[in-house]
Each structure stands twice: as C-alpha cells, then as structure tokens.
Amino acid sequence: MSFDFKKEYKEFYMPKNKPNIVLVPKMNYLAVRGKGNPNDLNGEYKKSISLLYAIAFTIKMSYKVSYKIDGYFEYVVPPLEGFWWQKDTKEFDLNRKDDLEFISIIRLPDFVTEKDFLWAIEEATRKKKQDFSKVEFLTYDEGICVQCMHVGSYDTEIETVNLMHEYMKENGYELDITDKRYHHEIYLSDPRKCAVSNLKTVIRHPIRKIK
C-alpha cells in the first residue's frame, strides 16, 4: 500500500473543523511563485498548478525508469497547497483577489533531495518539451500556527479565519503574518469534482506568543 501523507500526518492535513494550535516542522516542497486572481483561467495560478503536478508525478514515477532515488518508497502525491499574501496589508483580504501573490506548493517526501529534483526538471523538460524553470525546490520551516478545517466556498473562509483568530487570542497568541510567514491553505478537495458546499480546505496562520 502506498504511503499517504494525509493519513500518516493527520495533525497537519486532517484537523477538525474547530481551531487548534500546531507546531509544523521543516519540510521540503516543489514550489512555483506568482501573482493575480486564482480564478483567472489563463492566469499564473492555474499555470503554476500544471507545472507542479508535472514534476510531482515525474518524481513519483521515477521508480519506473533507470534513475533511482535513494530511499524511495511508493507514495500518494500530497495535496496541493498555497502560501498567499498581499504586499500592502498584514490582513488577508479575500475580496482583493487581483492583488494576491502566492507560492503554490506540493510537499516532497523526505527522501527527495535537490539532486533528485534537478533530475526531475530535466526529465520532464525532455519528455514534455516544456519550460519548468519556474519550479523551485523550497525548504520551509513554518513553526507554530493556528489551523482549522474549512468546509465550503473559498469565499467564505473569513468565517473560519475569525474563529481561528479568536482561539489564538484566548490561548495567549497573536497573529504573526509577515513577509516570510504566510496565510496557508491546503486543498483536500478537487473543485472540479466536488460541490462548493463540500470543499475541504485546511487554513493555517502563523502565530506567536503575546509578550
């Protein structure tokens, strides 16, 4: 049976629909940076997803080619995630989608090194005749955060965010969104195959203890 990150690390991928505080360890990701409205069919966000999955599946299927990754085991590609921010505000304003900047990410298994990542870029470029130079190998240490499962439309996330912020204050924390710590979303549902009312998204915000 393939290793499934969502099942093995439920504290990070399957929180309950009430806020909790979590310490997120350092992880490696495939990453693509961009900006603009994520609903734009021809925008940078949609293109970033295509690039990420092409490299993610090149690495996942590497066991079928001559290139061998040390420590490789079969696994389910982890869910799509995103770091989001707006340059001129500390709060995350869902109504200003055109001003959004993002880093689209997919988690990498720990056995994948930067050398393996570079091989995957070359392999995908050769096979697909496409430019994958925007894809990065990103190491990110997220630290202490408040998170919650949001069920429903992305446009109603503010309701869940407000609950998270109330919870963090009650527990002696304050919001710590900066130019290096972001509004974080983990997408557990495919909006093409799921009713909007049933969409599941993990929302995570960086926090720090109130001094």
Side-chain angles (χ1 to χ4, degrees):
M1 183 179 294
S2 296
F3 186 93
D4 190 332
F5 287 85
K6 297 190 301 296
K7 294 178 180 178
E8 298 297 331
Y9 298 105
K10 290 183 179 179
E11 68 269 35
F12 303 129
Y13 296 101
M14 300 297 290
K16 296 180 180 179
N17 58 353
K18 59 182 181 179
N20 72 294
I21 292 170
V22 62
L23 179 61
V24 185
K26 184 186 294 184
M27 300 180 193
N28 294 328
Y29 299 91
L30 296 172
V32 176
R33 299 170 190 266
K35 58 185 177 180
N37 191 329
N39 296 324
D40 184 350
L41 294 179
N42 296 311
E44 292 183 20
Y45 181 68
K46 301 294 184 186
K47 293 174 183 176
S48 76
I49 295 173
S50 176
L51 293 172
L52 285 178
Y53 275 109
I55 302 303
F57 277 96
T58 298
I59 294 171
K60 172 184 166 61
M61 304 307 292
S62 63
Y63 70 95
K64 292 192 172 183
V65 299
S66 60
Y67 185 86
K68 301 302 176 187
I69 298 176
D70 289 342
Y72 179 94
F73 53 78
E74 290 193 46
Y75 63 97
V76 177
V77 171
L80 177 69
E81 309 181 39
F83 295 133
W84 298 88
W85 70 94
Q86 291 152 328
K87 279 188 175 178
D88 58 346
T89 180
K90 195 169 183 180
E91 294 292 331
F92 188 72
D93 188 349
L94 291 166
N95 295 315
R96 293 171 45 220
K97 291 184 173 62
D98 289 339
D99 297 329
L100 289 171
E101 302 202 31
F102 64 83
I103 308 174
S104 291
I105 56 175
I106 293 178
R107 182 179 178 178
L108 287 169
D110 291 342
F111 58 72
V112 177
T113 66
E114 194 159 4
K115 173 176 172 277
D116 302 320
F117 160 77
L118 293 173
W119 165 82
I121 294 291
E122 291 180 3
E123 181 75 356
T125 300
R126 181 181 65 81
K127 283 189 173 181
K128 297 180 178 294
K129 312 299 182 188
Q130 188 177 346
D131 181 8
F132 290 96
S133 60
K134 286 188 176 182
V135 186
E136 305 172 27
F137 183 94
L138 175 68
T139 300
Y140 191 75
D141 191 353
E142 194 162 13
I144 193 160
C145 299
V146 61
Q147 67 178 13
C148 188
M149 181 73 77
H150 174 75
V151 180
S153 169
Y154 303 130
D155 292 333
T156 62
E157 285 182 2
I158 190 62
E159 300 168 10
T160 299
V161 167
N162 288 339
L163 289 175
M164 290 163 52
H165 290 182
E166 289 174 12
Y167 180 83
M168 74 179 180
K169 291 175 184 176
E170 290 170 358
N171 286 273
Y173 290 89
E174 62 184 357
L175 193 64
D176 191 32
I177 289 180
T178 69
D179 59 352
K180 294 181 180 178
R181 303 189 78 199
Y182 315 105
H183 172 99
H184 186 175
E185 298 182 1
I186 303 174
Y187 308 106
L188 302 178
S189 306
D190 185 340
R192 299 169 301 177
K193 303 176 182 178
C194 179
V196 171
S197 59
N198 295 328
L199 289 172
K200 290 185 177 181
T201 308
V202 180
I203 302 176
R204 189 180 292 161
H205 277 179
I207 56 176
R208 64 186 176 190
K209 270 289 187 181
I210 297 174
K211 297 179 180 179

